[in-house]
Amino acid sequence: FDLNSIDVVKSSRMGGLMHDAFTITPKETAGTVVKGKPYVFTCFLEENRSTAVKKIRSAIADARLVEEEKKFDGSRVKTKEMEQEQSPFVMEADPRLQQMQIIATKKIRGVSLQDYYEVAWSEGVDCDKSPMYQPFLESMDKNNVVVSPWETAGGYKGEWCGETYASQRTVTFQFMKQTIGMTLVNVKHTQRCQRVNDDRCIVQMTLEMKGFPYA
């Protein structure tokens, strides 16, 4: 028998008086005409019948699982071949980026731009992500951390880059700096953000520090 094309059920003989048999029938599927005849097998004891039916059903299930895995592997191969035939996406070069010093080269793969923005920059506003920026600063022993909401009026111009951004926010905090003595340093970040479709998320930042003993 082809285990992928049969089913097994318990059956009886002699008008239902003898419950010592099981029947192997062609597998029935929707929209398919069943071909072939059933085969009836008998056992000496009803317990033997139950054991036989259980083992046959287990073998059928294993065979069908193998068949499904073959189909899945075949579809994966076809999908991979289709992906290889398609030209890979190449992002257009950013002229401004070419003028900057690259300080991080590691890449995060399998993360959408939307998820990146929500996790790194949204502070949990209008999404189900937890705030990140404020907890991060507080974990670095910064005090009185305040992360303002993003302003979205647009037209925010970066001082050192000259580019215009769609949103802007400020982040303020304090920390103690050890020099000759302990000095309280006040810090203000002005952050500006611009998202370009689903391809880029550009964040520009300026930094102000007061009370830092440079001399």
Side-chain angles (χ1 to χ4, degrees), residues 11-13 18-22 41-46 49:
S11 56
S12 59
R13 299 183 298 120
M18 301 293 293
H19 301 280
D20 59 354
F22 61 89
F41 296 85
T42 59
C43 300
F44 289 108
L45 299 172
E46 186 174 346
R49 179 185 70 164

Side-chain angles (χ1 to χ4, degrees), residues 100-160:
M100 298 181 181
Q101 179 183 0
I102 307 299
I103 60 174
T105 57
K106 290 186 177 180
K107 297 180 179 180
I108 303 176
R109 301 184 184 279
V111 178
S112 69
L113 189 69
Q114 181 67 25
D115 281 339
Y116 164 74
Y117 174 81
E118 290 180 356
V119 171
W121 300 106
S122 75
E123 287 300 280
V125 177
D126 297 328
C127 66
D128 60 355
K129 305 298 190 298
S130 300
M132 188 198 80
Y133 211 79
Q134 181 171 342
F136 166 72
L137 289 172
E138 291 173 343
S139 72
M140 301 299 291
D141 297 326
K142 310 306 179 188
N143 302 315
N144 301 320
V145 180
V146 177
V147 180
S148 72
W150 286 102
E151 301 172 7
T152 57
Y156 303 103
K157 192 170 183 178
E159 293 92 340
W160 56 266

Side-chain angles (χ1 to χ4, degrees), residues 8-9 33 71 73 85 119 149 160 163 187 194-195:
V8 59
V9 293
V33 178
K71 292 179 181 178
D73 290 340
E85 290 175 359
V119 171
W160 56 266
E163 293 191 61
V187 183
Q194 177 72 25
R195 298 172 64 183

Side-chain angles (χ1 to χ4, degrees), residues 157-172:
K157 192 170 183 178
E159 293 92 340
W160 56 266
C161 66
E163 293 191 61
T164 302
Y165 297 85
S167 54
Q168 175 178 287
R169 74 178 180 186
T170 58
V171 179
T172 58

Side-chain angles (χ1 to χ4, degrees), residues 2-16:
D2 178 4
L3 293 175
N4 285 305
S5 61
I6 62 171
D7 285 315
V8 59
V9 293
K10 293 180 180 179
S11 56
S12 59
R13 299 183 298 120
M14 300 178 65

Side-chain angles (χ1 to χ4, degrees), residues 1-11 22-30 34-35 37-41 52-53 56-61 64:
F1 295 106
D2 178 4
L3 293 175
N4 285 305
S5 61
I6 62 171
D7 285 315
V8 59
V9 293
K10 293 180 180 179
S11 56
F22 61 89
T23 303
I24 293 179
T25 62
K27 178 183 177 182
E28 295 187 13
T29 57
V34 177
K35 297 181 180 180
K37 60 181 181 179
Y39 291 85
V40 179
F41 296 85
V53 170
I56 294 172
R57 286 177 176 171
S58 177
I60 291 174
R64 291 177 182 173

